[in-house]
Amino acid sequence: MPMPANTLRIAVLPGDGIGTEVTEATLAVLEPLAKRHGIGLAFDSLRAGAFCYRDTGTAMSEETFAAAAAADAILLGAMGWPAIRAADGTEIAPQLDLRFRLNLYAGVRPFRAIPGVPSALADPRARDIDLVIVRESTEGLFFSRDRGVVTPDMAEETLRMTRPVTEKLARFSFDLARRRAAARGRPGVVTLVDKANVFRAFAWMRGIFAEVAADFPDIDSRSHYVDAMALDLVRRPWAFDVLPTENMFGDILSDLGAGLVGGMGFAPSADIGDTHAVFQPAHGTAPDIAGQGLANPTATLLSAAMMLEWLGARGAGQGFTDAAAELEAAVDAAFAGGLRTPDIGGQDGTAAVARAVAARIGVTN
Ligand code: ATP
């Protein structure tokens, strides 16, 4: 069948372990979704990751990088494998190289309670959890990746933040809060998560956020220390909206956030820059369950919805925006209708989730 005129090219990097399984399930849902909304998605499957490194000596070839960079968006499964490591002992993580090389500074991690998915919290207000961590993803403590100094007597890693990226992170966060406020019909709140009471770098970061906040008088601007935020994300996560933060803090708080809404299988993400974006579940390759058809593909499905929304917002057309909304609604409807994955004590494996969500396409709205 010929592709519609509005066809976009999606680079697909399934990666390793359950990355390949959740990607396959997601593509199986995207096909009927694209057909229904008259949008063209041309998938270009590319090999990269730990097993690629083992077999070829390169985790992501330059050709693969170039093909991914030339696509309209990148959809990624997960990469890495504990038994396959670089000479310095670190895991193979070409997905981090994509973030750095494509300047994907905004790591967008939404945490939303899905109807029917049990929360780790007993408080009934856990049903209202709907927050986004915006993890700066190109600098912070991760600036030090591959640069750390280790001698027999000391080890040192350096945290670096720059003004251009910090300003962009702030602007991105306030813009996001504004869009969310408009969609939800309530005021937007940006809460910077930092450690400004101890480190000069974070006090400086607060200053930059305050400068940018002046351009967004409609958005409430606050700040919170990271240790207090760890407590409050457990005590009252429903009270938060948009939480920008440094790379390492965002890495850690993201897993906490996932724990609140059902686990890693429910945590989507988008790594967004000025020109490129990578969409992937927040989880890793889960070697403990890989190859068994048990992986929950919900995080990847929701990441794909974020991709469609991003493409729509960049002018790809209303069909993309509509498809994004329908995919999210179909996921919600499937779980509200009784779908239960093994990570939340159910029996529905990877393929069953894809079938259940695909079955809701065209009937949810
Ligand atoms: P990384 O360091 O790359 O994040 P990791 O091994 O620390 O990897 P994950 O791969 O995310 O972390 O796995 C952590 C735990 O969560 C594992 O027990 C895994 O089985 C579980 N898990 C992760 N993703 C899923 C998923 N999609 N469905 C079900 N369980 C998952």
Side-chain angles (χ1 to χ4, degrees), residues 294-335:
L294 297 174
N296 178 358
T298 304
T300 318
L301 286 164
L302 293 174
S303 303
M306 293 172 79
M307 176 181 82
L308 296 171
E309 199 199 326
W310 181 78
L311 289 168
R314 281 169 63 89
Q318 189 60 34
F320 286 82
T321 308
D322 294 345
E326 179 159 34
L327 178 51
E328 204 174 288
V331 167
D332 280 18
F335 281 98

Side-chain angles (χ1 to χ4, degrees), residues 248-259:
M248 184 70 159
F249 291 164
D251 185 28
I252 297 166
L253 291 180
S254 296
D255 276 29
L256 197 164

Side-chain angles (χ1 to χ4, degrees), residues 21-34:
E21 301 170 51
V22 295
T23 302
E24 189 186 331
T26 299
L27 296 184
V29 175
L30 285 178
E31 273 169 30
L33 184 73

Side-chain angles (χ1 to χ4, degrees), residues 18 264-265 283-286 288-289 295-296 343:
I18 66 166
M264 298 307 292
H283 61 73
T285 54
D288 53 336
I289 57 163
N296 178 358
D343 50 347

